[in-house]
Amino acid sequence: MIPKRAKGGSDTAGLLSYLYGPGKRDEHEDPRLVAAWGPWVPDPARSPDTTVGDLALLLDAPVHASRGSAPAEHVYHVAVRVAPEDPLLTDEQWAEVARAMMSAAGVAPQGERWGCRWVAVRHADDHIHIVATKIRQDGIQPDLRQDIVRMQRLARQLEVRWGLRRLMSGDRTAKRWPTTGETRKASRRHLPVSAREQLQWTVRTAAAAAASEEDFFARLRSCGLRVAQRCGSGNGAPTGYTVALPGDRDRADRAVWFAGSSLAYDLSLPRVRERWQVPVPEPEVSRHAFWQALEHNLRTVSGSLGRGGRQAGAGDVAALGDLLVVASGAVPPLVEPSLRASAAEFERAARAPGRRDLDGEARMLLRSSARILVSSARSSGRNDAAAFLGFLLALVTAVAAARLWHEEQGHHPQAEAAGRAGRSLREAVEMSTGAAAGTGVRSRTRRAGSADARPSRSSRLTGVVTEALPGHASAVLVDSVWPVLRGRLTALERQGFDPAAVLAAVAARRELHSAASVAQVLVWRLDGWARAHGAAPDRRAATAPPRFASAPPSGAGKTSGPAAETKRFPGNEPEGPKRGL
């Protein structure tokens, strides 16, 4: 919920006529009064004996009766808006919002008889307009200092109470939402998103992939955008830029331009330039091994993210956000929507409040990874399922590290955004391993911040394997025995055990690198653990024979360790080993 003070002025009747009128493009639907300073105030839209002019005279009466000097602009105007995905509020709820906002702002404190006169008009589903006069009924001017701050604080409470999208006030990291006019314009033109949102994503993608300022502007133009640079009076270097979509024009047939800073706080030219302050050498990676190189970089980053201090951590998460944006355009089409959703959710997490330092080891590795993706991902390597899955799992780990860092710093909205990004990434992992097809789980569109936006059981178990077996997760999740292992973990979870703790415990008993099928060995060990602890294995789960190499090595029957386990327990229903568990 966003309360925003709009332009006031001195023409109360003119403002009310606009609010009760059709709007600039007939966007006002059923204008009506939802609340006022008194229950007896008539609604011009419902009362045949009252006009908009009559309502304006009632509002202005204290101004005209004031013996002191009234302010030159006595009209106070506030618009209160909710996010498009928020639930529809009733007129009664909006009336409660209006009364609480006027009390919080100091216009008409609840319980006081002589507060300012005000009315709340609703002409759309997602917002109301509150109009008041800046003279109390006792002739005193109200104290409106810090009015927006107090209303923002109230809005945070109402968001929790009614399950609305929770925002953060005052840290300059919130998303720049499209206006109602921009949204309606996109709807009339049958566009999926507004011009502001389309430009924001295009500019962010160009900034994340560019290697220099010249490359950045070249990428914008190659995307078909109209680009204009603002140059200073000194050396003529660009000081800013604006972009416009071809064909996007206003009523006067003029192009609609957006400054970079109006698209997002971190898309202003100075913030975009920060990406190139420290040069990143062009990495030399074999086109057949770049997924492995990316996984290695992300594993390293996950262990060091934010360790250089608060400013270094802010630079690290910013670079991770750029990598997610680049990755969303360089992955197989099957998981591209999930990666793009993850990058969009992580956008808030990539903007930490305060200054950021982009000269750190983690940041350099992330920028280098982005350069690898830009130069290599489109050419080859997509058919290497195991290597690509390893990259996705490492990306999940890095985003989880960013969420933990934000929580340690007290950045709660950023931590929540990173959590939502992690859920979208786990869906991509689930689809990459075939888990969704195996369990009948389909990806669903969830409202951001909704209480129902929780990961599926299969997606959570994918995260369990990633957490417990970081070195073997990619091999386990593409193994044909993974559905069997997933069934065992599901059974443990249903019986009240922590599947991550149990899996980590059985995996640590003996090395797994020599096993022909790590997933099969883990199934046997879990069955043995279940018998020892009185937990019944889930025999309803799908089973699969153990996977062997094309030809077992000579003397395999004489080896010990996991390879011996594979030799010792063949069959479609393996029994747990009697020793070594």
Side-chain angles (χ1 to χ4, degrees):
M1 178 178 290
I2 302 176
K4 182 178 180 181
R5 187 168 55 199
K7 184 177 180 180
S10 57
D11 187 3
T12 307
L15 178 56
L16 289 176
S17 296
Y18 168 74
L19 298 179
Y20 273 97
K24 295 180 179 180
R25 299 179 182 85
D26 296 326
E27 70 270 21
H28 294 178
E29 300 176 359
D30 189 21
R32 58 197 181 276
L33 194 75
V34 295
W37 76 92
W40 53 268
V41 178
D43 181 4
R46 302 290 189 265
S47 175
D49 299 327
T50 304
T51 65
V52 172
D54 296 334
L55 182 59
L57 287 174
L58 289 173
L59 278 169
D60 286 341
V63 178
H64 298 315
S66 174
R67 295 182 179 180
S69 58
E73 296 187 348
H74 66 270
V75 178
Y76 184 82
H77 180 196
V78 173
V80 186
R81 186 182 306 274
V82 296
E85 69 270 17
D86 282 337
L88 185 67
L89 300 184
T90 65
D91 283 356
E92 291 73 19
Q93 288 173 313
W94 277 120
E96 184 177 347
V97 169
R99 285 190 288 267
M101 288 291 175
M102 289 295 94
S103 178
V107 173
Q110 292 187 9
E112 285 195 18
R113 181 180 179 184
W114 303 107
C116 298
R117 294 188 174 186
W118 59 272
V119 294
V121 179
R122 182 182 188 183
H123 54 212
D125 289 338
D126 62 350
H127 70 279
I128 59 171
H129 292 263
I130 308 175
V131 180
T133 51
K134 296 181 183 178
I135 291 292
R136 290 165 49 92
Q137 297 181 74
D138 55 8
I140 302 174
Q141 294 189 30
D143 182 6
L144 300 179
R145 290 175 297 180
Q146 299 293 311
D147 55 341
I148 287 295
V149 174
R150 294 193 295 266
M151 285 190 285
Q152 290 279 7
R153 191 178 300 120
L154 171 66
R156 304 294 82 80
Q157 299 173 10
L158 295 176
E159 289 164 0
V160 175
R161 176 181 172 186
W162 288 330
L164 307 178
R165 184 182 181 94
R166 299 181 65 178
L167 304 178
M168 180 69 178
S169 305
D171 67 356
R172 301 184 69 187
T173 66
K175 181 179 179 179
R176 304 288 174 85
W177 294 96
T179 65
T180 301
E182 292 167 355
T183 303
R184 291 182 181 275
K185 184 177 182 180
S187 178
R188 290 195 305 271
R189 299 177 65 185
H190 305 289
L191 299 176
V193 296
S194 67
R196 180 187 298 273
E197 293 170 299
Q198 184 175 347
L199 286 170
Q200 184 186 81
W201 178 259
T202 304
V203 173
R204 187 172 300 283
T205 302
S212 65
E213 185 171 328
E214 293 75 15
D215 188 20
F216 169 62
F217 286 115
R219 288 177 181 274
L220 291 181
R221 293 188 177 93
S222 68
C223 292
L225 302 186
R226 302 181 63 182
V227 183
Q229 299 180 21
R230 297 192 305 273
C231 297
S233 57
N235 56 7
T239 59
Y241 70 97
T242 55
V243 290
L245 284 176
D248 186 21
R249 297 183 174 274
D250 59 15
R251 299 182 68 181
D253 200 33
R254 297 171 299 192
V256 181
W257 294 90
F258 292 85
S261 58
S262 70
L263 297 175
Y265 167 63
D266 58 337
L267 292 182
S268 64
L269 187 57
R271 298 287 279 189
V272 171
R273 278 175 174 157
E274 290 179 353
R275 293 168 167 84
W276 312 302
Q277 285 179 354
V278 180
V280 177
E282 194 71 25
E284 296 183 3
V285 179
S286 168
R287 65 178 185 175
H288 301 294
F290 72 90
W291 290 127
Q292 291 89 335
L294 293 173
E295 179 183 359
H296 175 268
N297 288 351
L298 286 170
R299 297 289 182 193
T300 304
V301 166
S302 300
S304 62
L305 190 146
R307 289 187 178 178
R310 189 182 186 96
Q311 293 185 18
D316 294 345
V317 295
L320 180 57
D322 281 352
L323 179 61
L324 279 168
V325 171
V326 174
S328 66
V331 297
L334 175 67
V335 296
E336 183 175 354
S338 295
L339 263 293
R340 180 158 180 166
S342 178
E345 291 290 359
F346 196 81
E347 178 190 331
R348 180 71 181 274
R351 292 193 293 267
R355 297 174 59 86
R356 62 184 186 181
D357 180 8
L358 299 182
D359 184 12
E361 178 186 2
R363 180 262 177 189
M364 295 295 288
L365 283 174
L366 289 168
R367 288 292 295 168
S368 177
S369 299
R371 299 304 307 155
I372 292 173
L373 275 175
V374 171
S375 60
S376 304
R378 289 296 187 185
S379 59
S380 64
R382 286 187 174 186
N383 58 343
D384 190 348
F388 174 67
L389 183 59
F391 162 72
L392 281 184
L393 293 170
L395 204 54
V396 171
T397 304
V399 169
R403 178 181 60 81
L404 291 175
W405 180 80
H406 278 303
E407 289 178 349
E408 293 171 356
Q409 304 299 319
H411 304 157
H412 301 299
Q414 285 83 357
E416 292 177 2
R420 294 193 297 270
R423 286 195 289 270
S424 295
L425 280 176
R426 286 193 292 272
E427 287 184 353
V429 172
E430 189 177 347
M431 286 186 288
S432 297
T433 58
T439 60
V441 177
R442 295 183 179 179
S443 176
R444 299 190 302 271
T445 301
R446 299 184 179 95
R447 180 167 56 85
S450 169
D452 294 329
R454 297 183 177 89
S456 67
R457 182 187 298 272
S458 180
S459 179
R460 284 188 288 107
L461 292 179
T462 300
V464 165
V465 175
T466 305
E467 176 187 351
L469 307 168
H472 299 282
S474 57
V476 169
L477 293 173
V478 296
D479 198 306
S480 60
V481 190
W482 162 238
V484 184
L485 177 59
R486 187 178 61 222
R488 300 297 195 267
L489 295 174
T490 300
L492 290 173
E493 188 177 40
R494 286 172 177 166
Q495 296 175 58
F497 296 99
D498 182 355
V502 175
L503 185 61
V506 299
R509 288 176 176 173
R510 195 185 306 168
E511 60 86 22
L512 293 167
H513 294 283
S514 59
S517 172
V518 175
Q520 184 68 75
V521 171
L522 291 172
V523 169
W524 289 333
R525 294 186 185 181
L526 286 176
D527 286 350
W529 186 96
R531 286 192 298 271
H533 292 78
D538 187 1
R539 296 297 180 184
R540 297 172 299 172
T543 59
R547 188 182 63 184
F548 294 95
S550 56
S554 61
K558 300 179 182 180
T559 59
S560 60
E565 291 177 345
T566 305
K567 177 71 175 180
R568 193 162 54 236
F569 299 102
N572 292 342
E573 283 290 338
E575 295 294 333
K578 302 181 184 302
R579 292 177 294 147
L581 286 172

